[in-house]
Amino acid sequence: MKRKLKAAISVIMISVFTAMMFVGCGKSEDNTMTKVRLNEVTRSVFYAPMYIAMSEGYFKENGLDIDLQTGQGADKVMQAVLSKSADIGFCGPEQTIYINLQGREDKPVVFAQLTQKDGSFLVGRTEEKNFDWKSLKGKDIIGGRPGGVPAMALEYAMKQNGIIPKTDANMVTNIDFAATAGAFGRYIKERLFFLLLKSFILPDFVSES
């Protein structure tokens, strides 16, 4: 009798858990979507998993309607969050530190990590099969916005390899984040023009900003 009772209870429990599993895996009958305004720092291949999830409808399957905007810079992403034009900011953690140091009551909170390292590359115009950090000495380097993760990561890497930023190399940090790629092609020409003006044409009136 006891064996039959135990067997019956086991069958019932298995049936209940199986039903619960199917309910959990099944598509929700509630068609209500929650809109999430997400502001990303830049459009990058490093965030490909998120783009795929959006294009394949994975978020919508879970009731989330993602409104994706590109801020073009962590500072602009944080402005969007603080002004409440974005629900979530997708950028480096440094902006959270800066805002907290300002003593604001409405402080942003870091709640998730997507990448482990900065997704920047050091690129040049000529091929260097055996790259040596010493080759950066005397070069003009577009380092990004001062205080931003790309710029800080680059300067850290330079120091770790015996290169002193702003001393051994000219760090260009006055170019808007969204314009850095385009500036890479224009900067050398502009720099040469500036040096020409400073050296030969208007040496007493030209100053570098």
Side-chain angles (χ1 to χ4, degrees), residues 165-209:
K166 302 177 184 178
T167 299
D168 293 333
N170 177 40
M171 306 299 293
V172 182
T173 58
N174 60 349
I175 300 176
D176 187 72
F177 183 83
T180 53
F184 180 68
R186 298 193 304 267
Y187 179 73
I188 295 301
K189 294 180 180 178
E190 294 174 355
R191 179 73 176 171
L192 290 175
F193 179 70
F194 167 79
L195 292 176
L196 179 64
L197 286 176
K198 186 175 182 180
S199 301
F200 301 104
I201 302 176
L202 300 170
D204 297 329
F205 298 95
V206 178
S207 61
E208 188 170 8
S209 58

Side-chain angles (χ1 to χ4, degrees), residues 52-71:
I52 294 173
M54 291 179 63
S55 64
E56 294 297 320
Y58 297 154
F59 287 108
K60 289 187 176 180
E61 286 180 5
N62 289 276
L64 297 176
D65 179 18
I66 305 297
D67 178 13
L68 182 63
Q69 302 293 329
T70 304

Side-chain angles (χ1 to χ4, degrees), residues 64-92:
L64 297 176
D65 179 18
I66 305 297
D67 178 13
L68 182 63
Q69 302 293 329
T70 304
Q72 297 293 2
D75 54 334
K76 296 179 178 62
V77 171
M78 189 55 63
Q79 289 174 11
V81 173
L82 294 176
S83 65
K84 301 188 185 306
S85 60
D87 301 308
I88 298 176
F90 194 8
C91 63

Side-chain angles (χ1 to χ4, degrees), residues 1-199:
M1 182 66 180
K2 289 184 178 180
R3 289 183 179 179
K4 291 183 179 180
L5 181 60
K6 288 182 179 180
I9 293 175
S10 298
V11 171
I12 293 172
M13 293 297 291
I14 292 173
S15 300
V16 170
F17 281 118
T18 302
M20 290 175 65
M21 288 173 62
F22 280 113
V23 169
C25 296
K27 191 173 182 179
S28 175
E29 295 297 329
D30 186 4
N31 294 322
T32 302
M33 301 291 289
T34 300
K35 186 173 183 178
V36 178
R37 299 169 301 171
L38 174 62
N39 195 304
E40 62 175 354
V41 63
T42 187
R43 188 57 52 89
S44 171
V45 68
F46 287 94
Y47 310 146
M50 180 181 70
Y51 305 143
I52 294 173
M54 291 179 63
S55 64
E56 294 297 320
Y58 297 154
F59 287 108
K60 289 187 176 180
E61 286 180 5
N62 289 276
L64 297 176
D65 179 18
I66 305 297
D67 178 13
L68 182 63
Q69 302 293 329
T70 304
Q72 297 293 2
D75 54 334
K76 296 179 178 62
V77 171
M78 189 55 63
Q79 289 174 11
V81 173
L82 294 176
S83 65
K84 301 188 185 306
S85 60
D87 301 308
I88 298 176
F90 194 8
C91 63
E94 79 281 5
Q95 285 299 316
T96 302
I97 298 174
Y98 299 151
I99 297 300
N100 274 269
L101 290 176
Q102 294 176 8
R104 293 176 59 106
E105 293 184 3
D106 185 15
K107 300 177 182 178
V109 177
V110 176
F111 66 91
Q113 175 183 346
L114 184 69
T115 57
Q116 292 183 338
K117 299 179 180 179
D118 179 63
S120 299
F121 294 92
L122 182 62
V123 298
R125 291 183 174 80
T126 58
E127 181 181 3
E128 292 190 41
K129 294 183 178 180
N130 298 308
F131 172 74
D132 191 326
W133 283 89
K134 293 180 181 178
S135 65
L136 295 182
K137 288 188 175 182
K139 299 293 179 61
D140 297 315
I141 303 175
I142 298 177
R145 179 178 54 81
V149 168
M152 291 190 291
L154 173 61
E155 292 189 6
Y156 174 79
M158 292 173 67
K159 292 176 182 177
Q160 290 294 104
N161 289 276
I163 306 298
I164 303 175
K166 302 177 184 178
T167 299
D168 293 333
N170 177 40
M171 306 299 293
V172 182
T173 58
N174 60 349
I175 300 176
D176 187 72
F177 183 83
T180 53
F184 180 68
R186 298 193 304 267
Y187 179 73
I188 295 301
K189 294 180 180 178
E190 294 174 355
R191 179 73 176 171
L192 290 175
F193 179 70
F194 167 79
L195 292 176
L196 179 64
L197 286 176
K198 186 175 182 180
S199 301

